[in-house]
Amino acid sequence: MTTSVTVQDDATVLTVAGEVDLATAPALENAIDSTLAGKPGALVIDLSEVSFLASAGMAALVAAHKRAGGTRIAVVADGPATSRQLKMTNLDQVFALHPTLDEALGALRQN
């Protein structure tokens, strides 16, 4: 699993690629924590390049949501490896879930 951070349209974008499982979820949590430490107004966690999302990865997303404070969080997930699991566990009710990065950024601009 790899992560990278960019800033687009006043939002910090954390792009995640590869498999997020029990072994890599702590690294995802650390990347999210490091990003939140900068107190961004909005954080987009882009999972569009994630090929496998285990429950440990979903737990890292929930933990991030709890620690976000005033930071708005949006998640980009589209496809069977990510959005399906998030919808099946009702986490799409916890996070603003978007199929593309452009849609997530557009939604954050409107709010």
Side-chain angles (χ1 to χ4, degrees):
M1 183 200 73
T2 61
T3 60
S4 62
V5 177
T6 58
V7 176
Q8 297 182 33
D9 296 344
D10 298 326
T12 300
V13 179
L14 175 65
T15 302
V16 184
E19 295 185 357
V20 182
D21 56 20
L22 189 59
T24 59
L28 173 60
E29 206 160 339
N30 288 339
I32 293 169
D33 285 347
S34 294
T35 305
L36 287 174
K39 301 201 184 308
L43 171 61
V44 177
I45 302 172
D46 186 352
L47 303 177
S48 58
E49 295 189 30
V50 169
S51 57
F52 178 75
L53 181 63
S55 59
M58 290 185 277
L61 295 175
V62 171
H65 177 71
K66 290 179 180 178
R67 289 190 304 273
T71 300
R72 296 173 295 150
I73 295 182
V75 175
V76 176
D78 190 28
T82 53
S83 67
R84 183 170 177 247
Q85 283 87 331
L86 294 171
K87 289 176 183 173
M88 286 177 52
T89 56
N90 289 326
L91 288 178
D92 61 328
Q93 304 301 309
V94 175
F95 308 108
L97 186 62
H98 302 279
T100 67
L101 178 58
D102 287 342
E103 287 188 31
L105 294 170
L108 289 171
R109 275 194 302 271
Q110 291 178 356
N111 290 334

